[in-house]
Amino acid sequence: MRSSIIASLALVPWATCHQQPLKDAKHRVPTSHHTVTTAAPSYRQELLSLHRQLISIPSISGDENAVGNFLVDYLTARGYHADLQPVAARDGTPPNKQRFNVLAWKGERIPSAKVVVSSHIDVVPPHIPYSISPGEITPETMIKGRGSVDAKGSVASMIVALEQLHASKEIANRGDVMLLFVVGEEVAGDGMATFSDSLSRMEEPPKFDAVIFGEPTENKLACGHKGGLFCDITARGVPGHSGYPWLGKSANELMVRALAKILDADLGSSELFGNTTFNIGRFDGGVAANVIPEKAVVKFAGRVAIGPEDKGHEIVTSKIQRILDEVDDEAFDMDCTHGYGSVECNCEVDGFEKITVNYGTDIPNLAGDHTRYLYGPGNILVAHGARENLTVADLEEAVEGYQKLIVHALKQ
């Protein structure tokens, strides 16, 4: 069976796109001159240095190749096979910019991993430079910068955790664990979808027993997360002079009435995830204060609290469509880019506190019947913000947590 898996892997793009490390001096960050406390774990300097370098390389979604190349360089220098899996360019990708996932493993040239350890290397805009609290480094030392939490904290902790397990020989077969770092998670999950599609094209795809996904969960093990629904609603009216509103039809007014009903509606709830929520992210309508608006467009993000994972969002879509039809059955169009129902994960592992989260992840973008774990350092409430930060203790606890999860997953 293993030989047939290896033969199949040789046919997919990510198994044949091995690239030598790319040297780029401008992305090398000087080693910190902080004093390290004697009580620090042996890997602290390695962990903080890697985290610093990852944050210092800008990698806003669509422009991730520099940090990907850095990871190839970093991992191959430590004895990993590191391959690049091309990901198709999307709208907004800068010209002449490659996009690729990074896959890495130790052991045989072609892996048949039992456990995949994965996170994303893209971040939301804008780039915020790395900074660290001055003085002696202690567990309470704070680190700031874009991606410090979401999700370069997970990436750095995962790599160091796996290195510790290899060094202690706690992984019997070095090829049993594969690292997977993907692009595009913050936008549409195109990196993970590309990886998933590559597996579906294989005659005998590898059988992953478990996948550990890295996202900020406060170092608690997530029992799952809400699903998502991402749509545009367009209202079309009849323009006219604002002094005679009865002679026209205001698209803005129609939209406001519909949105008020949607916000007050029960869009679905569950004991684990609570209520489905509806965020009006952007509202554009009209051309001038004294003109009856002909068109209004709203972009919204729903956080879906109901399942099943493949259809929960469709139930919410139907509820919203019924409200639009009640307000005006001719004026509205709804166009949804993607969605999914609530996502459940395995949180029954000794030694971890449990949590559920409301944000989305790449978990539903990877097909398969593998066991799914969701875990990582940092708090989502500071992610995407101007003061994104975590502490040294957060990172170090995550290293220990990832080690426990990897060992646990290998024994199942």
Side-chain angles (χ1 to χ4, degrees):
M1 176 63 177
R2 185 177 180 85
S3 60
S4 61
I5 290 175
I6 293 174
S8 298
L9 283 167
L11 301 177
V12 298
W14 61 266
T16 58
C17 295
H18 185 67
Q19 178 169 319
Q20 294 298 317
L22 302 183
K23 308 296 183 182
D24 190 346
K26 71 179 181 179
H27 293 312
R28 295 296 177 265
V29 181
T31 301
S32 171
H33 295 293
H34 287 76
T35 301
V36 178
T37 61
T38 55
S42 61
Y43 55 75
R44 176 179 285 178
Q45 194 62 45
E46 176 189 1
L47 174 64
L48 297 187
S49 176
L50 175 56
H51 189 234
R52 178 188 180 105
Q53 291 180 88
L54 290 170
I55 296 169
S56 298
I57 303 173
S59 59
I60 292 169
S61 302
D63 191 11
E64 308 101 335
N65 65 326
V67 75
N69 286 328
F70 165 77
L71 280 171
V72 170
D73 192 355
Y74 186 91
L75 293 168
T76 53
R78 285 156 180 78
Y80 289 82
H81 296 289
D83 278 4
L84 307 182
Q85 178 183 47
V87 176
R90 60 172 181 81
D91 293 343
T93 300
N96 304 317
K97 288 288 185 182
Q98 295 175 312
R99 299 188 71 225
F100 48 80
N101 299 326
V102 176
L103 298 89
W105 62 92
K106 288 189 175 181
E108 297 185 15
R109 175 67 183 84
I110 302 298
S112 178
K114 295 179 180 179
V115 175
V116 176
V117 182
S118 179
S119 191
H120 61 94
I121 55 177
D122 66 311
V123 299
V124 299
H127 174 67
I128 300 174
Y130 175 95
S131 65
I132 187 169
S133 301
E136 180 184 49
I137 292 179
T138 70
E140 290 73 37
T141 297
M142 182 178 291
I143 300 169
K144 299 179 183 178
R146 178 59 79 230
S148 56
V149 170
D150 190 12
K152 292 176 179 179
S154 289
V155 173
S157 302
M158 287 172 162
I159 292 172
V160 173
L162 187 55
E163 279 289 271
Q164 292 295 304
L165 291 176
H166 282 308
S168 63
K169 302 188 185 306
E170 291 189 61
I171 299 177
N173 185 342
R174 284 155 53 92
D176 280 349
V177 181
M178 183 172 77
L179 294 170
L180 169 65
F181 299 124
V182 299
V183 300
E185 188 274 343
E186 296 288 2
V187 179
D190 46 351
M192 186 63 77
T194 296
F195 177 73
S196 185
D197 289 345
S198 72
L199 300 178
S200 68
R201 295 195 300 271
M202 298 166 52
E203 291 184 7
E204 294 186 63
K207 177 68 170 66
F208 303 134
D209 295 330
V211 181
I212 300 169
F213 294 86
E215 291 282 357
T217 67
E218 305 169 46
N219 286 325
K220 300 174 183 178
L221 195 55
C223 298
H225 64 78
K226 285 185 174 180
L229 177 63
F230 305 90
C231 309
D232 294 353
I233 300 175
T234 302
R236 301 188 184 279
V238 178
H241 195 288
S242 63
Y244 304 86
W246 57 87
L247 297 180
K249 186 177 183 179
S250 170
N252 282 359
E253 180 180 337
L254 290 169
M255 186 68 80
V256 168
R257 293 182 184 279
L259 293 177
K261 286 180 175 290
I262 293 169
L263 289 170
D264 289 339
D266 178 3
L267 299 177
S269 61
S270 64
E271 183 177 353
L272 182 59
F273 297 107
N275 296 324
T276 297
T277 58
F278 182 88
N279 180 65
I280 305 166
R282 182 165 180 170
F283 190 135
D284 295 305
V287 294
N290 63 346
V291 177
I292 298 170
E294 181 180 17
K295 180 181 178 181
V297 178
V298 157
K299 295 180 178 293
F300 78 81
R303 298 299 175 176
V304 180
I306 57 175
E309 186 175 317
D310 61 340
K311 293 187 181 297
H313 65 293
E314 295 178 0
I315 298 171
V316 176
T317 303
S318 297
K319 290 175 178 286
I320 294 172
Q321 186 63 58
R322 282 198 296 271
I323 293 172
L324 298 177
D325 292 342
E326 289 172 4
V327 173
D328 190 312
D329 60 4
E330 296 180 345
F332 293 99
D333 291 312
M334 182 163 54
D335 179 29
C336 299
T337 57
H338 59 290
Y340 51 94
S342 56
V343 175
E344 296 190 17
C345 301
N346 187 322
C347 58
E348 299 300 326
V349 181
D350 291 342
F352 289 91
E353 292 184 59
K354 300 177 184 179
I355 193 174
T356 57
V357 296
N358 295 345
Y359 55 79
T361 74
D362 261 330
I363 292 175
N365 294 322
L366 179 56
D369 60 357
H370 47 270
T371 301
R372 308 182 298 190
Y373 302 95
L374 177 60
Y375 173 86
N379 191 315
I380 193 64
L381 300 183
V382 300
H384 296 197
R387 289 179 53 81
E388 184 172 354
N389 69 87
L390 44 54
T391 65
V392 170
D394 293 330
L395 289 173
E396 293 174 351
E397 183 180 350
V399 171
E400 304 301 323
Y402 282 126
Q403 289 186 73
K404 292 178 185 176
L405 283 176
I406 292 169
V407 171
H408 173 85
L410 286 171
K411 291 179 179 178
Q412 298 308 297

